[in-house]
Amino acid sequence: MYDELKKAMLAAVGAAAVTAEKAREAVDGLAERGEAAVEQGKAKTDELRRSVGARMDLAARRADLAAQMAGLSEEELEQVRALVERLRAARADAANAADAANAADAVDAADAADAADAADAANAADAANAAGAADAADAPGADGPDAPTA
């Protein structure tokens, strides 16, 4: 009975040790996850600050521009309008040129694919013709090595 009691006590101590180790591993895992979450939170906060800062800078520049434009004469405002129209036209031309370049690239790619398909078809036809010629040469009655001599 003493041995059984001793075994039960040792089993309880062993179970407590295993439980403590598992608990320590769980706490360490949670701590690592918490640290990762804190780092992600810091990164998101920094990104948000930069974004808000950039928007505030843009708003400030627009306000400065509006203040400067308020003091312009009608002739100067007309010059600004003409400049804005030229900039818009240049932007549209650049977009159209990019679209045209993309379309030309697509046409070039399609032409290359068509050329490759045509080459494949020609190679297949050549192979078929060569196979047909070889079959004809092997046919009975053909003037080949098996042909009867007179």
Side-chain angles (χ1 to χ4, degrees), residues 136-149:
D138 291 341
D143 291 336
D146 297 331
T149 56

Side-chain angles (χ1 to χ4, degrees), residues 30-89:
L30 290 173
E32 287 177 15
R33 289 184 194 157
E35 289 171 4
V38 167
E39 291 301 319
Q40 288 176 347
K42 286 180 182 178
K44 291 289 184 183
T45 300
D46 290 344
E47 182 182 328
L48 182 60
R49 283 184 187 153
R50 283 192 300 274
S51 175
V52 168
R55 288 181 185 174
M56 290 177 65
D57 289 345
L58 180 61
R61 287 190 308 213
R62 286 181 177 169
D64 288 344
L65 182 60
Q68 290 174 358
M69 290 185 72
L72 295 179
S73 68
E74 193 60 37
E75 181 181 323
E76 291 169 326
L77 284 174
E78 199 53 45
Q79 290 173 351
V80 169
R81 285 185 190 108
L83 176 62
V84 168
E85 284 305 313
R86 284 196 309 268
L87 291 173
R88 284 183 178 155

